[in-house]
């Protein structure tokens, strides 16, 4: 297990976003794309994790406006509408995103945090939602795999389409065992570059949107994976309404293009697997 230390004044321990990557996945986050269109000076990979979903439609509108394809990591999280992000009420939203050509990975069904590896091959976890929300549990590798696949099964029920073969750990907490368990059932873990952390979970009084936007525009490089959320309960001045369109347009002005993780060199070879 490795801790990703962020630079440029952002804290090393994040509130909900993944602060940890394996060495291999940290390297993948910085990988240079194998090919980019002639008009592009480089490629950025935009990714969104589910959250309160308060910014879900805004995110979709901005991506469509800027003709950007992104990757969404889905968990069944409580939303500001009073439902959950994988309820039937969200089927039209996810169907529209599928039709637009975005990519989708699993974020564990109940937003399950890894806590530690136990003896006898067990993994201690703590689901945030579901019938065991807030309680510690012990998973086998098979149970951990099933937790990843629950999102895939539900996504197919909602949209008729399978997920892509990658996952992202809630809270970013991983271990060699969880990474191996995910890989064994067909999902490769996807992290992000240090410059790719949006800061959308941080207190807005200490980390105002203008500061976060400036850092991202200055530090993002070709091949970087960027992460933000589809709504954060705790941030008073939400990140996406102020920054998403400005960030994408600013990067496009610099000559960057955008792609999903299906096209990322570290994940493209996994396309089509379960």
């Amino acid at each position: 297990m490795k801790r990703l230390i962020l630079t440029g004044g952002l804290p090393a321990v994040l509130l909900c976003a993944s602060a940890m990557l394996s060495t291999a996945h940290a390297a993948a986050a910085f990988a240079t794309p194998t090919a980019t269109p002639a008009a592009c000076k480089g490629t950025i990979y935009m990714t969104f994790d589910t959250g309160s979903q308060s910014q879900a439609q805004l995110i979709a509108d901005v991506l469509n406006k800027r003709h950007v394809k992104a990757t969404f990591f889905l968990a069944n999280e409580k939303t500001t509408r009073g439902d959950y992000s994988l309820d039937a009420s969200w089927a039209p939203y996810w169907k529209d995103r599928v039709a637009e050509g975005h990519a989708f990975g699993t974020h564990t069904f109940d937003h399950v945090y890894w806590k530690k590896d136990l003896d006898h091959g067990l993994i201690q976890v703590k689901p945030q939602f579901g019938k065991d929300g807030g309680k510690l549990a012990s998973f086998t590798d098979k149970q951990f795999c099933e937790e990843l696949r629950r999102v895939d099964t539900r996504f197919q029920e909602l949209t008729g389409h399978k997920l892509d073969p990658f996952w992202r750990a809630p809270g970013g907490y991983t271990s060699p065992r969880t990474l191996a368990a995910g890989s064994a059932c067909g999902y490769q873990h996807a992290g992000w570059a240090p410059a790719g952390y949006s800061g959308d979970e941080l207190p807005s009084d200490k980390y105002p949107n203008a500061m976060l936007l400036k850092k991202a525009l200055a530090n993002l490089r070709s091949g970087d994976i960027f992460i933000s959320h589809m709504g954060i309960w705790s941030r008073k001045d939400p990140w996406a309404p102020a920054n998403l369109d400005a960030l994408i347009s600013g990067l496009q002005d610099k000559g960057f293009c955008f792609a999903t993780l299906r096209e990322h060199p570290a994940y493209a070879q996994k396309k089509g697997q379960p």
Side-chain angles (χ1 to χ4, degrees):
M1 180 178 67
K2 296 200 179 281
R3 182 175 297 277
L4 177 64
I5 304 299
L6 302 184
T7 59
L10 294 181
V13 180
L14 309 182
L15 302 180
C16 174
S18 172
M20 301 184 183
L21 292 171
S22 68
T23 301
H25 295 100
F30 299 105
T32 301
T34 53
T36 56
C40 297
K41 294 182 179 178
T43 302
I44 302 294
Y45 301 86
M46 300 291 295
T47 70
F48 299 90
D49 292 358
T50 47
S52 71
Q53 300 297 93
S54 60
Q55 308 305 317
Q57 191 57 53
L58 179 142
I59 289 168
D61 292 344
V62 171
L63 294 177
N64 281 323
K65 172 185 174 182
R66 296 294 175 182
H67 307 288
V68 168
K69 305 304 179 191
T71 302
F72 294 85
F73 287 92
L74 279 60
N76 193 38
E77 301 194 55
K78 186 176 181 180
T79 84
T80 52
R81 299 196 322 199
D83 56 6
Y84 286 80
S85 52
L86 294 179
D87 281 351
S89 53
W90 282 91
Y93 181 87
W94 296 123
K95 285 180 180 178
D96 286 347
R97 306 293 79 75
V98 168
E100 291 160 359
H102 300 289
F104 306 88
T106 173
H107 197 36
T108 74
F109 192 88
D110 287 327
H111 208 248
V112 174
Y113 288 88
W114 172 85
K115 303 304 289 186
K116 64 180 178 180
D117 289 343
L118 303 171
D119 295 334
H120 310 296
L122 295 176
I123 305 166
Q124 187 179 81
V125 298
K126 189 175 184 179
Q128 186 176 2
F129 302 106
K131 63 181 178 63
D132 296 320
K135 302 176 184 178
L136 290 176
S138 297
F139 280 7
T140 63
D141 288 358
K142 181 179 179 180
Q143 287 173 310
F144 193 85
C145 175
E146 289 171 350
E147 180 67 22
L148 297 175
R149 284 183 170 166
R150 287 178 69 196
V151 181
D152 211 338
T153 299
R154 184 57 177 160
F155 193 67
Q156 291 181 65
E157 292 172 352
L158 294 176
T159 69
H161 288 261
K162 289 177 64 64
L163 294 180
D164 293 281
F166 22 77
W167 73 286
R168 177 171 286 161
Y173 298 108
T174 64
S175 72
R177 187 173 295 168
T178 60
L179 294 173
S183 181
C185 62
Y187 303 99
Q188 185 177 358
H189 191 262
W192 61 87
Y197 175 56
S198 64
D200 64 353
E201 297 168 299
L202 303 174
S204 53
D205 56 341
K206 295 180 180 179
Y207 301 92
N209 288 321
M211 184 190 79
L212 296 176
L213 176 62
K214 182 178 180 180
K215 286 181 179 293
L217 287 172
N219 296 326
L220 282 168
R221 299 292 182 267
S222 181
D224 282 352
I225 298 173
F226 185 86
I227 178 178
S228 60
H229 295 76
M230 301 179 73
I232 293 295
W233 292 91
S234 59
R235 188 173 173 89
K236 293 182 179 180
D237 186 12
W239 178 88
N243 282 7
L244 182 59
D245 187 61
L247 175 63
I248 292 175
S249 63
L251 291 171
Q252 288 175 332
D253 288 344
K254 288 187 171 188
F256 287 108
C257 294
F258 296 86
T260 74
L261 291 186
R262 293 170 185 158
E263 291 73 51
H264 193 289
Y267 306 104
Q269 70 273 19
K270 300 291 184 179
K271 186 177 180 181
Q273 292 188 7

